[in-house]
Amino acid sequence: MSFPPASYAEWRQRVERELGDLDFDRALVTRTRDGLSLEPIYGADNSIRPPAGERPSRRFDDAGAAGGWLGVQELVGPSPEEVAAAVAATAGRGIGGYWLRFDEEVRRGLDPGWAATGLSERQIGCGGAAIHRLGDLRQALAEVDLEGCAIYLDAGAGAVGATGLLLALAKERGVGAASLRGCLGLDPPGVLAAEGTYPASLARARAQMAEVAGWCAAEAPGLRAVLVSARPYHDAGASSVEELAFALATGTEALRALCDGGLTVDAAASQILVEQSIGGELFLEIAKLRAMRRLWARVIEVAGGGAAARRLALHARTSWRDQSLLDPEVDHLRTTAGVFAAAVGGADSITALPFDAAAGGSPSAAGERLAANTQLVLREESHLERIADPAGGSWYLETLTDDLSRHAWTLFQEIEAAGGMGPCLEGGWLQGRLEETAAARRRAVATRREALIGVSEFADVTAPIPEAPAECWEGATERIHELETAPRPETAPGAGVEVLPWAARQAQAGVDAGSIAAALVVGERPCCAVELETARRAEPFEALRRRGAALRPCAFLANLGGPADYRVRAGFARNFLAAGGIVAVESGGFDEPAALARAFQDSGCPVAVICSTDERYASHAAAAAEALRAAGARRVLLAGRPGELEGMLNRAGVDGYLFLGADVLEVLDELLGSLEERS
């Protein structure tokens, strides 16, 4: 049986007839945070038109290669021993590289021997691994094959110092620089955005970056010097278009700096790695990665680069912003979806965060193992690596990729017109824009338009609340003393002396990474900006749950009528209250206020929530509220919008309303606050 073909116009005409008085756009078209319109259906009539002669897939020649992606595990410590344990937990599980994140002491490029540094215990082993000297790195990477594994250094302003440690370790093992693979992680604008300071001017930082890139191009072609990370902006609440535009602007500035330092466009492009975080909006994240490739290819084309140089080196990592301390098993599902999106989007390398990474410190062995296995299963059993561009040919994804690219390019041009990322960060324009985006995102989370499964929706009130991570590493005090008395670096190299070989010699002499990096910018005036405020979306709900756990509150569901009357709103109220750690108690439905009041008193709950239909509310809710108040209820709530009944219900003693679209955080904060006052 066959059906006659129908055009989009015919389909839409039929749908609008079925919708009646409802507006098509309001009912069926979704608006993203960036103002993009997501249609309910895509096809040849309402999607992008590929150039004549091409298949309708717009496949990218530079999309993820059929050889698959490189699995990269993040190592965060805090101690070298724990880094080594994480390596052991992932051994033989398809991991081809390690992303080594250093602690705040190294990331800020601090010299512990300089009194003005004011080194704090909160900088040692915090935010990353306490790997400061060659012995630490030797211990941490004892089981890592430096020739067979790619090493990605995430050391912020201390990147050159950390590179010195790596080169010294390689020489110690007899591994030449030409055999190393990975990225050294020089990302001055990213450090400035994340930390609020950089120990030198951005001009000096770019010159150093060009020098390091030139050395890598000549001596270690498997190492990329520059990291262009959108992670600080993602974690601060950026939208997809903002992440793309900020990464593109940063990458373009790096390209110019490397070319000014003497590299060709092709050689400079080969020194840059772009990192994107992958959130929970599956199709949007797939399109984001594809758009990043397209945008970068355009920049290289305009700069005069060849076809091979247009192929972006793209690293993806699952989102820290989307993780939660509550119901961490759901975080593993988020990680799985993120890895899938990254693979389908064509990432060259992927980092999957352990399900308990949000807890801070060193993830559990189970978390490390599952993160590694997720990539292994998707690659080896789902065979995602066998298709170069799985999203190619999807009208929806092709159109979404095109829309993201166009919007991001427009924002990129605004940044360029303003002088680039440096002025935008130092002047506060970028931070102001991000705060507006983050505020809108916080509002969406609070009202559950952006639902967090296991947190704001379907929360398990019986699950234990993990303790907040320790602020300091237990070995911090001893380590500070060691660093303050460690060897000092030689005078920074002058003209004609290569920076990285000098840094390696300092590392061999026992100098720490922070001191090596600091020695290179002595006398420089630091660059300052407003530090980006990063936060996980679940944090406000986690705070509510801790308060709820301390009070152990319950709420009586005052159901009116039969199950058909109250079941839907009782379920809604139970889910609503659980987000604040409040247990819902019910005992059937009631028609008489006296029976309802007795059941409430028997429950021992301080709060009552009236649940039923609008019709029942009109005839029974006021009497129920009065009876509950008389029975001792501290707070009486009603599930649903009150509408025209609000005045009557308020006079009867109803304190608030639980409804779809309500600010859940505000309602629960007020409710818990009232209970805390009387506890």
Side-chain angles (χ1 to χ4, degrees):
M1 181 177 181
S2 62
F3 297 93
S7 67
Y8 173 79
E10 292 172 319
W11 173 84
R12 177 158 177 167
Q13 185 178 33
R14 177 64 181 270
V15 169
E16 288 179 336
R17 187 164 64 246
E18 295 293 330
L19 288 173
D21 294 335
L22 294 176
D23 179 74
F24 178 89
D25 285 350
R26 289 180 63 86
L28 297 178
V29 176
T30 302
R31 298 286 191 278
T32 72
R33 200 169 305 286
D34 292 303
L36 279 63
S37 297
L38 305 183
E39 298 285 340
I41 191 171
Y42 287 84
D45 295 338
N46 71 327
S47 303
I48 62 169
R49 302 293 299 178
E54 288 191 10
R55 295 174 59 191
S57 61
R58 196 174 294 233
R59 293 179 183 274
F60 302 122
D61 292 337
D62 59 358
W69 68 90
L70 187 72
V72 178
Q73 197 76 358
E74 185 173 53
L75 304 173
V76 296
S79 68
E81 295 89 346
E82 286 166 303
V83 171
V87 169
T90 56
R93 298 182 183 275
I95 293 300
Y98 290 100
W99 189 284
L100 183 54
R101 184 173 176 85
F102 289 74
D103 67 8
E104 286 296 312
E105 188 273 335
V106 176
R107 297 184 64 76
R108 290 180 177 268
L110 301 175
D111 181 350
W114 186 39
T117 297
L119 201 59
S120 164
E121 290 182 349
R122 295 187 179 184
Q123 294 167 335
I124 303 296
C126 293
I131 295 178
H132 303 119
R133 292 189 290 174
L134 178 57
D136 299 327
L137 190 64
R138 183 188 301 122
Q139 183 179 13
L141 302 185
E143 300 302 320
V144 175
D145 178 5
L146 295 182
E147 291 181 286
C149 255
I151 302 297
Y152 299 80
L153 302 179
D154 187 353
V160 173
T163 301
L165 301 186
L166 177 63
L167 294 178
L169 180 63
K171 184 177 181 179
E172 188 176 271
R173 293 188 185 179
V175 177
S179 299
L180 298 176
R181 293 182 298 125
C183 181
L184 304 184
L186 277 73
D187 181 17
V191 175
L192 179 61
E195 306 290 349
T197 184
Y198 194 83
S201 68
L202 289 181
R204 175 71 183 91
R206 293 188 192 103
Q208 186 181 88
M209 186 168 63
E211 185 177 352
V212 172
W215 185 89
C216 288
E219 304 293 337
L223 291 175
R224 297 178 187 269
V226 181
L227 174 67
V228 173
S229 178
R231 190 199 316 184
Y233 315 110
H234 175 89
D235 289 346
S239 67
S240 297
V241 164
E242 288 168 337
E243 290 177 50
L244 288 169
F246 298 159
L248 191 64
T250 303
T252 301
E253 287 186 3
L255 186 71
R256 291 194 186 105
L258 269 54
C259 290
D260 289 345
L263 293 179
T264 65
V265 172
D266 286 25
S270 72
Q271 286 296 309
I272 297 173
L273 173 71
V274 173
E275 179 193 27
Q276 288 282 353
S277 293
I278 303 300
E281 298 175 271
L282 183 71
F283 293 109
L284 195 61
E285 299 301 332
I286 293 171
K288 182 174 76 177
L289 294 185
R290 300 176 84 242
M292 187 71 242
R293 288 192 176 281
R294 180 180 179 184
L295 291 164
W296 184 250
R298 177 58 178 159
V299 166
I300 299 300
E301 180 185 6
V302 171
R310 297 173 196 171
R311 190 193 184 286
L312 173 67
L314 183 57
H315 179 77
R317 74 190 311 271
T318 57
S319 174
W320 170 83
R321 182 181 76 189
D322 287 351
Q323 286 207 322
S324 170
L325 294 174
L326 307 172
D327 206 356
E329 288 76 9
V330 178
D331 281 331
H332 184 57
L333 300 180
R334 295 187 183 101
T335 295
T336 302
V339 173
F340 177 85
V344 172
D348 297 296
S349 53
I350 302 174
T351 293
L353 294 182
F355 65 81
D356 51 356
S362 181
S364 65
E368 298 276 13
R369 188 170 59 253
L370 280 172
N373 286 349
T374 297
Q375 297 205 54
L376 191 64
V377 169
L378 290 175
R379 184 171 58 239
E380 303 296 336
E381 297 187 21
S382 299
H383 304 299
L384 293 183
E385 88 288 357
R386 295 192 178 185
I387 305 173
D389 183 18
S394 161
W395 288 115
Y396 172 42
L397 282 168
E398 295 287 7
T399 302
L400 187 53
T401 299
D402 193 72
D403 287 345
L404 282 173
S405 300
R406 293 180 185 279
H407 280 71
W409 188 265
T410 299
L411 180 55
F412 163 65
Q413 290 177 314
E414 289 181 29
I415 297 170
E416 287 282 282
M421 287 294 284
C424 288
L425 281 167
E426 292 177 272
W429 174 86
L430 186 146
Q431 293 90 331
R433 180 186 176 100
L434 275 185
E435 177 51 36
E436 292 180 6
T437 306
R441 190 180 295 279
R442 288 193 296 269
R443 175 68 180 170
V445 170
T447 57
R448 298 196 295 186
R449 287 199 306 275
E450 285 189 12
L452 304 179
I453 304 302
V455 179
S456 65
E457 294 273 20
F458 311 112
D460 181 3
V461 293
T462 65
I465 310 298
E467 295 182 5
E471 291 187 358
C472 301
W473 173 45
E474 58 184 12
T477 302
E478 181 180 351
R479 179 57 61 88
I480 288 176
H481 176 70
E482 292 175 2
L483 291 174
E484 289 174 340
T485 57
R488 314 308 323 138
E490 299 172 356
T491 303
V497 180
E498 294 177 317
V499 168
L500 292 186
W502 173 86
R505 290 195 299 273
Q506 306 312 302
Q508 287 175 309
V511 182
D512 65 279
S515 296
I516 294 171
L520 293 169
V521 293
V522 170
E524 285 284 331
R525 186 172 183 176
C527 179
C528 297
V530 176
E531 182 179 345
L532 291 179
E533 294 186 14
T534 60
R536 291 177 293 103
R537 293 191 299 161
E539 286 181 25
F541 282 98
E542 292 168 1
L544 284 180
R545 286 287 295 278
R546 287 195 180 94
R547 290 168 63 189
L551 289 170
R552 302 178 64 85
C554 64
F556 176 74
L557 299 186
N559 300 324
L560 306 182
D565 296 313
Y566 64 75
R567 183 181 294 118
V568 172
R569 278 180 168 156
F572 175 82
R574 184 183 301 106
N575 190 30
F576 193 113
L577 296 166
I582 302 172
V583 177
V585 177
E586 60 180 311
S587 56
F590 301 89
D591 292 313
E592 296 299 327
L596 176 65
R598 287 194 297 272
F600 167 74
Q601 289 177 325
D602 291 342
S603 73
C605 296
V607 177
V609 183
I610 301 172
C611 304
S612 195
T613 61
D614 290 344
E615 292 76 15
R616 281 270 177 180
Y617 287 162
S619 58
H620 291 74
E626 291 172 349
L628 291 167
R629 279 294 192 192
R634 297 185 198 172
R635 302 280 289 181
V636 176
L637 306 173
L638 182 138
R641 293 180 182 271
E644 297 177 354
L645 303 176
E646 185 170 8
M648 177 188 72
L649 293 173
N650 289 349
R651 288 190 296 273
V654 175
D655 298 296
Y657 304 91
L658 314 183
F659 54 86
L660 191 64
D663 189 323
V664 179
L665 288 173
E666 182 179 332
V667 172
L668 293 177
D669 175 66
E670 182 182 356
L671 178 57
L672 289 172
S674 68
L675 297 177
E676 286 166 340
E677 289 176 1
R678 303 187 184 188
S679 61

